Amino acid sequence: MSDGISDDVKDVLGVLTERIEARFGMDIGRLKAAVAAAPLAHPAATDVVKWHGLLAEAQSALDRAEDDLLAALETQPSEVDDPTMSLAHRVNAAVTTRDGRAMVVRWLLDPDAPGKKDPAAERLARPRSRTGPAVQTSAPHRPAGTPAPASARQPGRPVR
């Protein structure tokens, strides 16, 4: 894009791509091919490639949103109408998405990032299989005649 609006921020993708290539010692195309061929061989590379792809998608969505907004602004009189304002909100949402994904890529590339060194982060990073919900989603069955726990009683109502 040569309109100047996103040339500086578009470099976010370029800068992070360069950092990825430096970290893994190969260009992004080869890295993507390597991850596609063996996704479990290097989990860090797999995560980075996944998030780089999401970042690239977000950047493309932002570029389209900016182009649409610019086209609408060129036809506007001095006041901006509601459809054009909606386009501006779309640009803002696209920027937020792109920036969030860029933060994830930066975090993945930084071995000293907060939360990467403590044991809790390591436990969370390990994949786990679940057979059901993490918390109970319904009240436990109580036999007839068993009073409800105190926390379930409404104030001012007698227990039956």
Side-chain angles (χ1 to χ4, degrees):
M1 253 175 114
S2 61
D3 56 36
I5 288 182
S6 68
D7 285 348
D8 293 334
V9 291
K10 191 173 183 176
D11 286 341
V12 168
L13 181 59
V15 167
L16 289 175
T17 300
E18 288 174 7
R19 286 184 57 194
I20 291 168
E21 291 172 345
R23 163 93 186 278
F24 293 99
M26 63 179 76
D27 69 61
I28 194 72
R30 284 185 39 221
L31 182 61
K32 286 179 181 181
V35 164
L40 301 177
H42 197 303
T46 301
D47 288 343
V48 167
V49 165
K50 171 191 168 188
W51 281 96
H52 181 270
L54 293 170
L55 174 59
E57 288 174 12
Q59 183 63 56
S60 293
L62 174 57
D63 291 343
R64 286 188 306 275
E66 285 178 337
D67 290 344
D68 294 347
L69 178 59
L70 286 173
L73 287 172
E74 288 173 357
T75 65
Q76 289 292 303
S78 60
E79 288 188 33
V80 176
D81 61 11
D82 288 342
T84 304
M85 189 55 74
S86 291
L87 290 172
H89 290 304
R90 194 174 111 208
V91 168
N92 285 338
V95 167
T96 300
T97 300
R98 192 272 323 269
D99 289 352
R101 290 176 180 180
M103 287 173 47
V104 172
V105 172
R106 281 187 203 104
W107 186 83
L108 289 169
L109 291 172
D110 183 358
D112 298 321
K116 282 193 165 180
K117 298 282 185 179
D118 62 346
E122 291 175 15
R123 277 193 313 276
L124 289 172
R126 276 187 236 122
R128 294 176 292 190
S129 62
R130 287 199 196 269
T131 56
V135 295
Q136 189 169 347
T137 57
S138 60
H141 175 71
R142 277 185 283 126
T146 306
S151 62
R153 296 183 196 135
Q154 294 179 346
R157 298 196 76 181
V159 177
R160 296 178 196 200

